Amino acid sequence: MSETPIDLEPQLSIQPSSQPEPERRLQPPPLLQLPLPSRDTPETHQQTQIQPELQLSESNPEHQHQVKPVWINHRRLLLLFLFGLSLCGAILGIIYYIHQNLQTRSNNQAGTETPCLSPACQWASTRLSMSADPFKQPCDYFLFTCGSDRLSPDSGGRQRGQGIPGHPQNQKEKAEWPERRGQSQDRGLIEQKIVDRKTVLLQYLKEILESNDRPGSTAVQKTKGFYHSCLDTKSIDTAGAEPFLTLIQKLGGWAVSGQWNQTDFNSTLSLLMRDYTTFPFFNLYVGKDPNEIAQGTTKRYIQIDQPDLLIPIEWNSKTQKSEAKTQTLRPFLASCYSYLALLGAPPSTRMRHVGMFISLSSELAVASAPLDYRLSKRQLFQRMTIKELQSQAPAIDWLGCLQAAFHPLPLIADDHVLLHNLPYIVQMSRIIGKWLDRHELSTSAPLHTYMVLNLLHTLMPALDSKFSETAKNLSVALGNTEGIAPRWKHCVLETERGFDLVLRELLNERTAHREAEEIIQNIFSSFKSKLNELKWTDQKSIQFVMKKVQSLIPRLWTTKEISSEAELDLLFSKVTVSTSSFFSNYVQLLSLWQKRRSQLLTELTEEPDVLSVTPFLLGDELLFPMGMFVPSHFHPTYPRAMNYGVMGFLIAKDLLHLILPDIYAQSETVHSVGECVWAHYLTVTEKTGRDGVSSLSASQLQEVWVQYSALQIALQAYHQTLKNHPSDTSMSGLSHTRLFLTSFSQVNCDSDPYRELMPLEPSFLITVICAKSDLCPTSLQCFNKTQQHPLQAC
């Protein structure tokens, strides 16, 4: 009892003395005040329960001092507890929201994302997991230039993609592509990074030709049958040279074999052009006149060019003439001798015929000239009629030969043709006339031998491998170190030559049109936004470029009318494919190629090229070939992050090259951004101040800007798709921005005409992008290198 006054004293001290005690006790704490109920409610019952307690308090003042303050404190403690609980809940909610928002932006983990489990994704995921992660190995992964040799898998380095540069519509680009070193034939476990676009497309066409998903139409079966007969090298080698010798006998024989009926020169030439697409003395192809393209004309012309000479020659800049040097003539002579031996020519006559062949080849070679020289002399696209050409080069029966090559088109002497080296054509006619007048050589025997050996090179892909080995040995002797393309790649290219219409429809069936169109439109929209960010040197430049861009219509390059199976079957109804004789199949392919060339002359629209892998301009249309959108670069089931990280970047890079070929002189941004990116590279690689690496040329700076801007464009387009459609799948435990950048890091120095200008590995650009901390999911720093100053955003 003695402790009670001590405990109650503080409580009594808070009671205001000016207020009567009974009234003070009837007022509840402010936070618990409720409106008076009008009916008998639970609140009324509660008030009734309180009344006895109040009465007791009034009758016992001591008890009143003990109970009332405790009750008030309990209520206040309860209020404080509830308020604190609410405050903590609000804080936790804010923290959870911020965490979720940051997780959505960075996407370091894909635990909340749906993993992509399609077969294409499973294959790509396996491939991705075998690749170096740029966010785990920044020191080893980004510091190799495009020209460096392929490094070990542990270091994460890569070899530059190989291929033939040039415009995809260039027919010469349909030649064989060299094999990438170290590339595995196992499509499921490829150690290399993403290869160049042309090889990716050829691999995809290979899968189509080797698939057994459905029987297919007759035309499809013939296409696949041709491809498989090409792969059957055992049967080809077993046949040896006999198929070619049998064909020569059908053509009238030749002097080397001792059996020749001395066929007419122009008759033999017309036959080779019509049935075997062989052009020994000049080249033929179909194309438009660039002087008419600007006017919107779609007419095509026969174009006549100098031939692809068999004899190796070099251009002498001093004499302004081509010449054959002794050190190259010796291995060439040896190869010609080997060809005649393989064809069974008597040893006593081989050297004489080889000597005349080389003599004639050398005379023709002197009249030829490289492209840059002919451009400087304005010798390209010279227009004249067939009649005028006949008067300038009378040794060739031009109307007869052209009618044979473009049968059944009704050509006349007044039709126009385009010449690409008229001086060569004139000189070639004189040389042929001279050799025809040399009666001591059994009339036109050397000219006939020259044509037969050119036919041999046309048919060599279908002959015994001993012939191609001879050609390879010559190539090595001339200093060519490029490897020979694998047989499957060679067979895909040969199949496309004759059955391109079938492959086009098969590719069209498998192309994800909607997804491809979507990424095209999104990248193009982001590309236009990027142009507005540039600092232009003058207003006239930006107006010209923007007007050009705004007028363009980007779309997937597909055929206007899809050919039905019945139409394709009818078109190839006369083709008979043998499973055991690739030579006979190949001869039919040459006939198909000739018919295709004739059709090109009359077509008004640009038909899709199966082997195209880069966009091009056709009037106001910006056309993207279907061959761009194939695995492993693109697949409709891939996460969008992966599609935009690879294909989005490649599309953006193509757009910048195509539409802004000389942007360096028009925008200050190109120089400043290029210098900024290069400064990053010098800082990270610690090369600043070394001779030869501290500065770049204008062309190199522009290429650095192009590829860095292409990455920004693709990333911006992807982020915009996330705003419109927030969900995206994940792969290999990665999603969104991290998957985007990791996928991009697999893109090799792309095989295009600008690859030699890129002084650093494109994947290094991730380091520069990540200088903006808000863009990357995790920090990207090489902790083995100390940086005194943080890298700035470019």
Side-chain angles (χ1 to χ4, degrees):
M1 295 297 296
S2 59
E3 294 178 357
T4 302
I6 299 174
D7 292 337
L8 295 179
E9 185 63 29
Q11 298 175 15
L12 293 174
S13 66
I14 65 172
Q15 302 296 331
S17 58
S18 60
Q19 185 174 359
E21 194 66 22
E23 294 182 10
R24 180 70 181 85
R25 288 194 299 267
L26 288 175
Q27 294 179 358
L31 292 177
L32 297 180
Q33 284 185 352
L34 297 173
L36 294 175
S38 58
R39 296 183 181 179
D40 189 9
T41 62
E43 286 82 359
T44 307
H45 180 67
Q46 182 180 1
Q47 185 71 18
T48 304
Q49 290 179 337
I50 295 175
Q51 287 299 327
E53 182 180 353
L54 294 178
Q55 293 175 0
L56 179 61
S57 299
E58 289 176 358
S59 62
N60 191 347
E62 183 178 355
H63 182 73
Q64 169 190 342
H65 286 278
Q66 292 177 355
V67 175
K68 174 62 175 69
V70 174
W71 178 82
I72 293 173
N73 283 336
H74 285 176
R75 288 290 188 268
R76 288 177 177 175
L77 289 174
L78 178 61
L79 290 173
L80 290 174
F81 174 77
L82 292 175
F83 178 77
L85 187 63
S86 300
L87 183 61
C88 290
I91 293 174
L92 289 175
I94 293 173
I95 293 175
Y96 177 79
Y97 173 80
I98 294 174
H99 173 73
Q100 288 296 103
N101 187 47
L102 290 176
Q103 188 178 35
T104 301
R105 291 183 59 194
S106 64
N107 294 284
N108 291 331
Q109 304 296 331
T112 60
E113 302 296 337
T114 304
C116 179
L117 301 178
S118 69
C121 282
Q122 291 177 10
W123 179 83
S125 180
T126 301
R127 208 159 172 266
L128 194 66
S129 63
M130 298 174 63
S131 306
D133 186 346
F135 295 96
K136 293 181 180 179
Q137 298 175 273
C139 300
D140 298 331
Y141 195 70
F142 297 108
L143 307 184
F144 304 104
T145 63
C146 289
S148 63
D149 291 332
R150 187 178 67 83
L151 303 176
S152 64
D154 294 337
S155 69
R158 296 166 298 176
Q159 180 187 3
R160 168 180 34 195
Q162 299 179 13
I164 301 174
H167 194 275
Q169 276 63 58
N170 189 339
Q171 293 299 321
K172 292 183 179 179
E173 199 170 86
K174 294 188 178 182
E176 295 180 3
W177 286 62
E179 168 73 326
R180 291 172 55 83
R181 289 179 291 168
Q183 181 174 321
S184 171
Q185 294 298 318
D186 182 0
R187 63 179 291 272
L189 296 174
I190 300 178
E191 182 270 332
Q192 289 283 1
K193 301 292 181 179
I194 294 179
V195 295
D196 63 85
R197 283 185 269 183
K198 178 71 78 171
T199 302
V200 167
L201 174 58
L202 293 178
Q203 288 173 340
Y204 188 63
L205 293 176
K206 171 179 178 286
E207 294 179 13
I208 292 176
L209 291 168
E210 295 178 355
S211 65
N212 295 315
D213 50 354
R214 61 186 179 90
S217 65
T218 304
V220 172
Q221 293 176 13
K222 291 178 180 179
T223 303
K224 292 183 177 181
F226 177 90
Y227 170 75
H228 286 289
S229 70
C230 176
L231 292 176
D232 186 8
T233 55
K234 183 178 180 180
S235 297
I236 296 173
D237 289 345
T238 300
E242 191 59 34
F244 182 76
L245 293 173
T246 301
L247 177 62
I248 293 302
Q249 292 304 313
K250 291 181 180 179
L251 297 176
W254 66 324
V256 175
S257 64
Q259 298 178 353
W260 180 45
N261 60 11
Q262 299 187 12
T263 53
D264 175 70
F265 166 76
N266 274 293
S267 297
T268 303
L269 179 59
S270 297
L271 194 60
L272 295 184
M273 294 171 64
R274 185 191 69 189
D275 294 338
Y276 307 104
T277 62
T278 299
F279 309 98
F281 302 102
F282 51 87
N283 254 334
L284 286 184
Y285 53 94
V286 175
K288 299 177 182 178
D289 186 345
N291 298 319
E292 295 181 350
I293 292 178
Q295 304 171 6
T297 304
T298 59
K299 181 177 174 57
R300 292 180 173 87
Y301 297 90
I302 296 174
Q303 315 220 9
I304 303 174
D305 202 351
Q306 64 187 34
D308 297 321
L309 296 166
L310 302 181
I311 187 171
I313 57 175
E314 294 182 12
W315 179 252
N316 190 322
S317 57
K318 293 183 179 179
T319 61
Q320 298 287 286
K321 288 185 178 181
S322 297
E323 58 186 29
K325 295 187 176 180
T326 305
Q327 58 266 34
T328 60
L329 279 180
R330 288 174 179 171
F332 178 65
L333 185 149
S335 67
C336 293
Y337 191 88
S338 297
Y339 291 141
L340 292 186
L342 291 172
L343 293 173
S348 58
T349 63
R350 291 176 194 169
M351 190 54 67
R352 182 168 63 91
H353 287 287
V354 168
M356 289 188 293
F357 173 74
I358 291 180
S359 178
L360 176 56
S361 299
S362 299
E363 290 187 49
L364 293 171
V366 172
S368 65
L371 180 61
D372 55 353
Y373 175 80
R374 287 181 282 153
L375 280 170
S376 65
K377 297 298 183 179
R378 298 183 178 181
Q379 294 177 352
L380 303 184
F381 300 102
Q382 291 183 258
R383 182 192 295 261
M384 64 176 57
T385 65
I386 298 176
K387 183 189 298 183
E388 292 171 338
L389 177 59
Q390 187 66 54
S391 64
Q392 298 238 23
I396 303 293
D397 177 13
W398 290 103
L399 183 59
C401 287
L402 294 178
Q403 285 176 337
F406 291 93
H407 177 78
L409 295 182
L411 297 178
I412 61 176
D414 290 330
D415 286 332
H416 284 88
V417 294
L418 300 179
L419 278 296
H420 296 288
N421 191 350
L422 183 58
Y424 166 83
I425 297 297
V426 172
Q427 183 64 18
M428 175 266 298
S429 176
R430 293 173 182 168
I431 294 171
I432 291 176
K434 182 186 69 174
W435 282 81
L436 285 174
D437 291 338
R438 297 176 68 176
H439 300 291
E440 70 275 9
L441 297 175
S442 300
T443 64
S444 58
L447 293 171
H448 188 77
T449 297
Y450 184 87
M451 290 189 284
V452 169
L453 289 180
N454 272 269
L455 177 62
L456 174 67
H457 276 76
T458 299
L459 295 170
M460 197 176 292
L463 289 174
D464 186 350
S465 59
K466 294 185 180 67
F467 288 95
S468 57
E469 283 293 328
T470 301
K472 178 183 176 182
N473 293 337
L474 173 62
S475 180
V476 172
L478 296 177
N480 187 355
T481 58
E482 290 185 348
I484 301 297
R487 185 68 185 181
W488 71 262
K489 188 177 291 188
H490 162 78
C491 291
V492 170
L493 290 168
E494 294 296 352
T495 304
E496 190 275 338
R497 289 176 64 190
F499 299 90
D500 61 323
L501 297 178
V502 179
L503 284 181
R504 188 174 70 193
E505 294 308 317
L506 291 175
L507 186 62
N508 183 65
E509 291 175 1
R510 290 163 172 77
T511 300
H513 292 249
R514 182 176 61 84
E515 290 81 0
E517 288 281 7
E518 178 180 308
I519 194 172
I520 288 172
Q521 298 299 331
N522 290 340
I523 293 295
F524 189 67
S525 176
S526 181
F527 165 73
K528 290 191 291 186
S529 299
K530 187 67 178 178
L531 294 184
N532 291 323
E533 299 174 6
L534 299 180
K535 294 181 180 179
W536 298 81
T537 54
D538 57 80
Q539 194 66 20
K540 188 176 181 180
S541 297
I542 186 174
Q543 289 177 352
F544 174 78
V545 172
M546 294 307 296
K547 182 179 179 181
K548 176 181 179 181
V549 171
Q550 294 296 341
S551 66
L552 294 178
I553 305 172
R555 71 172 179 88
L556 186 66
W557 190 22
T558 57
T559 180
K560 300 291 184 180
E561 297 180 1
I562 300 176
S563 302
S564 66
E565 290 187 354
E567 290 174 332
L568 289 175
D569 289 345
L570 179 62
L571 185 63
F572 293 92
S573 59
K574 295 183 179 180
V575 177
T576 303
V577 175
S578 171
T579 57
S580 59
S581 177
F582 180 59
F583 185 85
S584 64
N585 295 340
Y586 195 81
V587 170
Q588 292 183 84
L589 176 144
L590 298 178
S591 179
L592 290 174
W593 202 11
Q594 180 271 332
K595 292 179 181 178
R596 183 64 184 142
R597 184 172 54 249
S598 299
Q599 293 172 355
L600 288 174
L601 194 59
T602 58
E603 286 179 354
L604 298 179
T605 59
E606 196 77 29
E607 291 297 324
D609 181 1
V610 177
L611 298 183
S612 295
V613 291
T614 54
F616 72 102
L617 291 170
L618 184 63
D620 290 337
E621 288 190 311
L622 180 58
L623 301 178
F624 293 81
M626 293 182 291
M628 295 177 64
F629 303 94
V630 299
S632 59
H633 282 167
F634 181 87
H635 196 274
T637 66
Y638 283 170
R640 279 176 291 150
M642 190 169 188
N643 280 333
Y644 278 81
V646 178
M647 184 48 57
F649 165 76
L650 294 176
I651 292 175
K653 182 161 69 79
D654 289 338
L655 288 175
L656 291 166
H657 281 150
L658 184 63
I659 300 176
L660 304 174
D662 53 354
I663 185 63
Y664 186 86
Q666 298 174 311
S667 174
E668 302 172 1
T669 307
V670 178
H671 178 271
S672 59
V673 172
E675 288 283 7
C676 178
V677 173
W678 184 240
H680 275 253
Y681 184 77
L682 295 178
T683 300
V684 173
T685 58
E686 300 177 349
K687 291 183 177 180
T688 306
R690 297 186 186 180
D691 294 337
V693 296
S694 59
S695 62
L696 297 179
S697 66
S699 298
Q700 288 176 313
L701 284 174
Q702 174 164 315
E703 185 60 22
V704 170
W705 172 83
V706 163
Q707 300 210 23
Y708 180 63
S709 298
L711 180 58
Q712 290 179 311
I713 290 170
L715 186 58
Q716 177 185 341
Y718 175 61
H719 284 162
Q720 186 61 43
T721 65
L722 285 180
K723 290 181 180 179
N724 300 332
H725 309 283
S727 62
D728 191 12
T729 55
S730 65
M731 183 183 292
S732 298
L734 307 174
S735 63
H736 294 178
T737 303
R738 180 156 184 175
L739 179 57
F740 173 96
L741 294 173
T742 303
S743 300
F744 163 75
S745 69
Q746 295 190 94
V747 179
N748 285 325
C749 299
D750 195 33
S751 180
D752 60 25
Y754 305 91
R755 60 179 178 173
E756 300 297 336
L757 297 175
M758 188 63 176
L760 48 87
E761 183 81 2
S763 55
F764 177 79
L765 299 174
I766 298 178
T767 302
V768 188
I769 284 285
C770 288
K772 291 184 177 181
S773 58
D774 60 323
L775 290 179
C776 291
T778 59
S779 67
L780 188 62
Q781 295 181 5
C782 182
F783 296 103
N784 297 338
K785 300 181 183 297
T786 57
Q787 298 176 3
Q788 297 179 351
H789 304 287
L791 297 175
Q792 297 181 352
C794 295

